Amino acid sequence: MNYEKIVKELDELLKLKGSPVAVKLIKNADELPAGYSKMPEKKRHCEFVQNARLKGDEGYATSKEHLCKGGAGVMGIGTLPESVANGSMYHKLGNFKTAEGALETVNDIPKSSKEHYASIYSPLESAKFEPDVVVLVLTPKQALRITQASLHLKGGRVSSDYSGLQSVCADAVVAVKERGVANMTLGCNGSRKNAGIADGEVIMGIPPENLEEIVDALRTFKEKWG
Amino acid sequence: MEIIYQVMILAILFSGLTSGFITFRMLGMRLAPHFVVMILAFIATLAGIVMGNWVVYAAAILQVLAALTGFTQTWTTLKYNFQTSPAYAPHLALMAMLPVLAIASVL
Amino acid sequence: MKVVKAHGIKAPNSAILAENIIKNSEDDEFILMLSKGSDNGLERVAKKYGFTFEVENSEKEVVVRLTKAEVKELDVTGETCPGPIMLVGDKLRSMVIGERLKVASKSSEAVEDIAVAIPGMGGKVLDQGTENGKDYVVIERIEKKPTSTAAVDRDKVLVVQSNGTGNAERAYATFIFAKAALSMGKEVTIFLLMDGVSIARRGNAKTVKHPSFDRLDQVMAETIQKGAQMYVCELSANFRGIKQTDLVEGAKLAGAATYITLLSDPSYAVVNF
């Protein structure tokens, strides 16, 4: 797939802020694509995504480079910290009134069915690997257009699920990779605060194979709706 | 008629009584007919050595029968048992000598 | 086959998600693990896309299986023991949890052998029968549960006989011990191998007799009648030209997998004759 061309068109049609982000999870060091080096600084997954989107950063992050172990853990990179896995952290933070509510929520957070060695990030237009998921940070109107575009060919409805926790990692990457279906999420406290997802933005994870279809539909919308 | 053959047969039968008894205990009652024939052959052979003449012929018939029954009575075991065969092989090997010597003794 | 865990998504969204998963995938078999009650509406989705719909409820979740594909088939006809179980074992290792396989063979013993062994190999038997002159067993790959090391009641006895009619005492002991165990309320399985298979060949056991006991064939028939399961090693039978049709009633040819499965079952006490 010619991602450079796709991104160019997406940008023309939607006027995106920054780039769509290619994210790939790899099982071992042998799968590392050539030309990517380890992220120089420890950061959170949502920060790596934002930096790829807005600064054009690229590279890979193993468990050591992931500052947010919860985000890394749901992606199968390292183990999920106990306090995240049992919900106690979110209970203490005040997200939930009861420990049971916290536990039920964390149990249902999408988690990778496989263990991974690292996550790789790149702006989509310059990605030298086949991504598992393309992460887009969008305004609600851009998200509306993407949603309409994704239904353009086959119709139906869209179901997005999120819990306001582990958004850019679990909702936008893991859920999409595991299901093969796009998912929209509203971010979480961490990604809003640390990665700087703006108040007027939402996050969407899209299977890369859907992109061509989406771009075709967006082109049609542009012709018909201006 | 060489009496020496009868003496050799007597030795084989005497030895066969020992190996036969051991085999008999392992295989069970199905060896009884063979054992009876073998005892009769042993007595007839002894009598043949002492008396000579027609008794030697009667003894030779019993000797062949002893060998024959040795095989008929162990046939099903021989056919399907390979692992336990060493236990009764010595007795059958002794019995297999009898027909040859029995024929030689009456020629 | 695609396996998706989507806990926490309530109906009707679970059905919307399921539909989108189907639309976005070229797979013809899906396993969706959902929260209890979230399977509402999925049957309609299955019907719409021509999938068969199966639901399995457990304490914690509901597993929905949507299948379009014919179950993959593995024909092991002509393979002699332990060929069939080795082929199935290799195949099973490459299968994902939930994937199914239909194993067929003209040899009912080979199929039975597989059915006996599968539970210990990370599979479960879903169906067994005969079709187009072949026996078959449908198996599903399941998560292999680690066995607990806790003590188990050894309420079963496996009597292994390898000496056959060439050793009358051991032959008698096989069935006399088995009868004793049966009368003690134990479950008894007799496995005849090596020379042992000679006992099960029709007509052989009646040549074994000891003055103190009934004829061996009668003792054997009584033991089987009392409920002992008697297997005859297929390999040893082949060595001796013995076929299933040559065996006494109640004796069944079985492969190495059956033997190993019996030996591996900690609830069996093993006696060798």
Side-chain angles (χ1 to χ4, degrees):
Chain A
M1 215 180 289
N2 186 342
Y3 290 120
E4 203 178 347
K5 188 167 165 272
I6 284 174
V7 173
K8 197 165 169 274
E9 283 208 72
L10 263 180
D11 208 27
E12 279 169 20
L13 294 161
L14 290 179
K15 304 282 181 289
L16 293 172
K17 184 182 173 188
S19 303
V21 180
V23 179
K24 186 177 178 68
L25 304 176
I26 53 164
K27 289 196 195 71
N28 50 55
D30 303 345
E31 291 179 31
L32 271 171
Y36 287 91
S37 49
K38 205 175 264 190
M39 291 294 190
E41 276 181 82
K42 283 188 181 184
K43 286 194 188 308
R44 297 164 185 86
H45 161 79
C46 46
E47 292 179 277
F48 291 135
V49 169
Q50 269 289 67
N51 290 346
R53 173 198 172 204
L54 300 173
K55 297 178 188 171
D57 286 1
E58 56 177 37
Y60 69 92
T62 68
S63 177
K64 279 184 188 160
E65 289 71 48
H66 274 278
L67 199 59
C68 169
K69 300 297 179 193
V74 293
M75 294 190 293
I77 303 166
T79 49
L80 208 54
E82 189 58 31
S83 62
V84 177
N86 63 24
S88 60
M89 185 180 93
Y90 297 115
H91 186 216
K92 281 198 190 90
L93 285 170
N95 292 61
F96 302 96
K97 192 171 182 175
T98 63
E100 291 76 20
L103 180 62
E104 187 178 340
T105 307
V106 295
N107 278 346
D108 292 345
I109 285 174
K111 294 170 195 77
S112 173
S113 55
K114 295 181 182 76
E115 288 183 5
H116 292 109
Y117 164 72
S119 47
I120 316 171
Y121 307 90
S122 166
L124 182 63
E125 61 272 24
S126 60
K128 296 185 280 288
F129 57 88
E130 197 52 51
D132 289 326
V133 177
V134 172
V135 180
L136 295 161
V137 181
L138 308 158
T139 63
K141 190 172 178 187
Q142 289 167 335
L144 163 71
R145 288 285 178 261
I146 296 269
T147 303
Q148 289 169 324
S150 67
L151 297 175
H152 183 249
L153 188 69
K154 294 178 186 168
R157 282 186 72 74
V158 163
S159 163
S160 285
D161 61 293
Y162 44 87
S163 60
L165 302 174
Q166 300 190 292
S167 167
V168 182
C169 47
D171 300 344
V173 172
V174 178
V176 179
K177 181 180 181 335
E178 295 277 323
R179 302 169 188 171
V181 174
N183 196 35
M184 190 185 73
T185 173
L186 302 181
C188 54
N189 294 354
S191 58
R192 294 274 175 196
K193 184 180 155 194
N194 301 307
I197 306 278
D199 287 0
E201 291 173 334
V202 297
I203 304 112
M204 262 185 119
I206 295 175
E209 51 273 21
N210 291 8
L211 283 171
E212 274 179 337
E213 208 177 282
I214 287 169
V215 169
D216 285 348
L218 288 172
R219 217 181 291 118
T220 308
F221 298 159
K222 189 85 179 167
E223 285 163 20
K224 291 193 181 295
W225 306 336
Chain B
M1 199 187 293
E2 286 281 353
I3 208 71
I4 188 71
Y5 288 120
Q6 289 297 317
V7 175
M8 286 166 75
I9 290 167
L10 188 71
I12 290 166
L13 281 168
F14 190 50
S15 175
L17 285 171
T18 316
S19 62
F21 182 66
I22 293 164
T23 311
F24 181 37
R25 293 221 300 185
M26 200 159 158
L27 287 178
M29 286 304 285
R30 98 187 89 153
L31 222 57
H34 163 65
F35 219 72
V36 169
V37 176
M38 207 168 48
I39 292 165
L40 290 174
F42 182 79
I43 295 162
T45 307
L46 203 58
I49 290 166
V50 175
M51 295 157 66
N53 61 44
W54 65 269
V55 182
V56 175
Y57 288 96
I61 292 167
L62 283 166
Q63 288 153 11
V64 172
L65 273 176
L68 214 58
T69 51
F71 282 90
T72 56
Q73 298 312 102
T74 55
W75 181 242
T76 49
T77 304
L78 270 179
K79 199 171 169 190
Y80 298 110
N81 288 243
F82 317 148
Q83 313 293 334
T84 49
S85 53
Y88 43 83
H91 180 69
L92 291 175
L94 281 172
M95 291 300 104
M97 292 186 199
L98 292 176
V100 179
L101 293 169
I103 292 163
S105 72
V106 294
L107 288 177
Chain C
M1 187 173 80
K2 195 169 185 70
V3 182
V4 176
K5 286 183 182 177
H7 297 101
I9 302 169
K10 308 283 188 290
N13 284 33
S14 50
I16 296 169
L17 175 66
E19 189 162 350
N20 286 332
I21 288 171
I22 292 168
K23 280 183 191 171
N24 276 275
S25 172
E26 285 174 10
D27 285 276
D28 49 15
E29 196 170 351
F30 299 91
I31 291 178
L32 306 176
M33 296 166 183
L34 306 165
S35 300
K36 300 273 289 183
S38 296
D39 55 312
N40 282 344
L42 263 77
E43 194 165 359
R44 185 188 51 78
V45 173
K47 209 170 166 181
K48 181 176 171 183
Y49 289 91
F51 285 90
T52 56
F53 175 79
E54 282 176 70
V55 167
E56 204 176 314
N57 271 291
S58 73
E59 205 179 316
K60 284 185 175 172
E61 62 179 6
V62 57
V63 178
V64 173
R65 177 189 285 273
L66 307 172
T67 9
K68 207 178 236 173
E70 280 291 305
V71 177
K72 285 189 190 75
E73 200 165 309
L74 177 67
D75 196 324
V76 294
T77 303
E79 292 286 340
T80 53
C81 172
I85 200 71
M86 286 167 78
L87 287 170
V88 171
D90 285 348
K91 184 77 191 158
L92 198 68
R93 274 191 293 279
S94 70
M95 283 157 64
V96 294
I97 306 294
E99 199 173 341
R100 292 173 182 186
L101 177 72
K102 186 178 188 176
V103 186
S105 174
K106 280 186 179 168
S107 157
S108 61
E109 296 81 34
V111 171
E112 184 58 37
D113 206 27
I114 289 159
V116 168
I118 280 297
M121 293 167 67
K124 83 174 170 190
V125 175
L126 297 173
D127 184 24
Q128 217 176 325
T130 311
E131 185 177 75
N132 309 325
K134 284 180 187 173
D135 282 66
Y136 71 86
V137 60
V138 179
I139 59 178
E140 184 181 308
R141 177 94 162 87
I142 56 166
E143 203 100 43
K144 200 172 175 183
K145 304 260 188 307
T147 45
S148 131
T149 51
V152 286
D153 287 338
R154 300 226 288 180
D155 53 355
K156 298 174 187 167
V157 178
L158 173 65
V159 186
V160 181
Q161 153 62 257
S162 60
N163 278 275
T165 54
N167 189 323
E169 189 178 9
R170 284 177 178 271
Y172 270 110
T174 302
F175 299 103
I176 288 162
F177 275 72
K179 277 169 78 177
L182 284 165
S183 62
M184 288 161 72
K186 304 274 184 195
E187 203 176 297
V188 175
T189 305
I190 298 167
F191 201 94
L192 307 176
L193 77 163
M194 307 291 159
D195 283 354
V197 305
S198 63
I199 298 172
R201 197 196 183 282
R202 208 178 301 108
N204 280 9
K206 68 174 174 222
T207 66
V208 181
K209 175 78 179 82
H210 187 281
S212 309
F213 302 98
D214 288 341
R215 237 172 39 195
L216 187 69
D217 59 322
Q218 292 160 348
V219 182
M220 177 165 67
E222 277 169 33
T223 312
I224 292 169
Q225 205 180 355
K226 279 186 189 292
Q229 171 78 54
M230 189 160 84
Y231 291 115
V232 176
C233 174
E234 200 184 334
L235 168 117
S236 303
N238 280 347
F239 251 74
R240 291 159 178 79
I242 297 171
K243 293 188 253 341
Q244 176 67 49
T245 48
D246 300 324
L247 301 179
V248 294
E249 206 166 322
K252 267 168 84 175
L253 284 180
T258 301
Y259 184 48
I260 302 297
T261 304
L262 290 165
L263 283 178
S264 314
D265 186 337
S267 62
Y268 272 101
V270 183
V271 191
N272 275 291
F273 288 113

